Amino acid sequence: MSVNAQNDSIISTPNDSIKVKLKYGLRVGGDIGKLIRSFVDDEYSGFEISADYRLKKRLYIAGEIGIEEKNTVNEYLDITSKGSYIKGGIDYNMYQNWLNMDNMIYSGFRIGASSFSHDLNSFNVYSTNQYWGEQFSSVEKQEFSGLTALWVEIILGIKVELFNNLYLGLNAQLKILASETVPDNFENVYIPGFNKTYDSSGIGTGYSYTLSYRIPLFKK
């Protein structure tokens, strides 16, 4: 006697056919905050171009390049600082997007470098002894060129996709000065890219409002 049996209790299930493809490409934009400030602030002009490229699902390589000119005036100094800067680093998206969304809540890291100059338009020398006369002042213009600075910064920001491949962004920056060239007889009061310095503490802050467009290269 022979017995043949077939096991029909194991049900084969098809593989999940749903796939989510992410956009990969170069996203290029500008800092609209600096453009607006250039129009409304007579003592400032600047422009910045930013870009990032997606390496992995949450990881981006990113950077900025720009120029700035800032006139700093107080009761002791009148200085015009101008120069260019470049920053490079990475951004990490901490936000889990819903289906078909491509927004970012991210943290980032940058290394920045600046080349700049100062025009010392006028200055007053403060004297602790006011009895013997007025303070010394000078209106003879002096130029200090070939100055450089290097810093690192930590970034926290958001990017929202307004329309297909068009993004609006906002970020805040904490900067730590690593090295700088100091001019003779006074300190750097403004460094392009680093912004205002605070009493030789080496700590700076900044922010950006960006509008950018992603050039879609492929999906993965």
Side-chain angles (χ1 to χ4, degrees):
M1 179 184 294
S2 63
V3 178
N4 294 326
Q6 183 176 357
N7 189 353
D8 294 331
S9 62
I10 301 177
I11 302 175
S12 60
T13 58
N15 293 328
D16 190 352
S17 60
I18 298 176
K19 294 182 179 180
V20 178
K21 292 188 176 182
L22 302 177
K23 299 177 184 178
Y24 282 71
L26 180 65
R27 182 163 44 193
V28 181
D31 188 340
I32 56 178
K34 284 184 170 57
L35 291 178
I36 294 174
R37 186 181 176 187
S38 298
F39 282 105
V40 301
D41 189 349
D42 294 335
E43 296 181 347
Y44 175 86
S45 64
F47 180 73
E48 180 182 284
I49 297 175
S50 59
D52 65 35
Y53 181 82
R54 192 175 212 158
L55 295 177
K56 294 184 178 181
K57 179 181 178 180
R58 294 176 179 264
L59 188 64
Y60 296 75
I61 184 172
E64 296 82 26
I65 185 171
I67 57 174
E68 284 188 312
E69 180 174 333
K70 177 70 169 65
N71 191 31
T72 303
V73 181
N74 56 40
E75 57 182 319
Y76 300 110
L77 291 173
D78 182 344
I79 301 176
T80 302
S81 307
K82 53 187 175 182
S84 58
Y85 62 91
I86 186 170
K87 299 187 292 183
I90 58 173
D91 290 335
Y92 181 80
N93 187 10
M94 301 177 292
Y95 179 69
Q96 178 62 48
N97 282 286
W98 294 1
L99 187 63
N100 295 326
M101 291 179 61
D102 193 17
N103 301 322
M104 293 179 65
I105 300 176
Y106 67 94
S107 60
F109 175 82
R110 298 284 190 278
I111 297 176
S114 178
S115 175
F116 59 100
S117 64
H118 294 307
D119 288 338
L120 181 57
N121 303 312
S122 65
F123 67 93
N124 297 322
V125 177
Y126 177 77
S127 175
T128 57
N129 187 354
Q130 302 291 325
Y131 181 79
W132 297 105
E134 298 180 355
Q135 301 178 97
F136 174 77
S137 61
S138 174
V139 293
E140 182 180 355
K141 184 176 180 180
Q142 302 179 49
E143 182 178 357
F144 301 86
S145 59
L147 306 176
T148 59
L150 185 68
W151 69 91
V152 296
E153 62 183 61
I154 300 171
I155 299 176
L156 183 64
I158 61 173
K159 287 183 181 178
V160 179
E161 189 174 22
L162 301 177
F163 304 102
N164 189 28
N165 293 317
L166 183 66
Y167 297 83
L168 179 66
L170 166 65
N171 68 62
Q173 308 146 14
L174 177 64
K175 306 166 187 282
I176 302 173
L177 192 62
S179 66
E180 62 176 322
T181 306
V182 180
D184 295 333
N185 300 322
F186 71 97
E187 297 181 350
N188 295 313
V189 295
Y190 192 91
I191 299 174
F194 184 85
N195 300 335
K196 182 180 178 181
T197 59
Y198 294 92
D199 297 330
S200 304
S201 66
I203 302 296
T205 58
Y207 64 90
S208 294
Y209 297 97
T210 60
L211 187 65
S212 56
Y213 179 80
R214 172 181 284 159
I215 304 170
L217 300 179
F218 61 94
K219 292 183 178 181
K220 186 169 67 173

